[in-house]
Amino acid sequence: MDLDASLSGETLVVRLYGELDLRVSDNLRPRLDKELDRQRVKHLLFNLRGVDFIDSSGIGFILGRYKKVKAQGGTVALAGPNRSVHRILDLSGMYKVMSGFANESEALKALEGGKQG
């Protein structure tokens, strides 16, 4: 699993690649938290296009960052999951607390424009 983070306006875009499971989540958590503290962003976008697999630990990883960003008055969105990852996110109720988008550009337009999908 790899993580690529970049700033786009007030949104930290986090692109994830590979499997998002317990081992990976434990490694990524401090890296992303450090980036969130350093950047002081309003929105967080997880681009999941490169994620092949996600389990409950990966969902917990995303929810933990959601709580952190939400507590600071921001929003979190998910973009581009493949069919199987999308199904897991849907069944776990993730789309009830954060918006999902087909791709990164659609999500950024909604986040920066103040609209949630």
Side-chain angles (χ1 to χ4, degrees), residues 8 35 42 45 48 55 61 71 73-75 77 94-95 100-102 111 114:
S8 176
E35 194 68 27
K42 183 171 183 179
L45 171 59
L48 303 173
D55 67 7
F61 166 74
T75 55
M94 294 289 278
Y95 295 122
F101 297 91
L111 288 170

Side-chain angles (χ1 to χ4, degrees), residues 34-51:
K34 183 178 179 183
E35 194 68 27
L36 285 170
D37 292 340
R38 187 173 71 82
Q39 296 286 357
R40 293 287 182 202
V41 297
K42 183 171 183 179
H43 308 295
L44 176 60
L45 171 59
F46 285 100
N47 183 332
L48 303 173
R49 182 172 180 229
V51 175

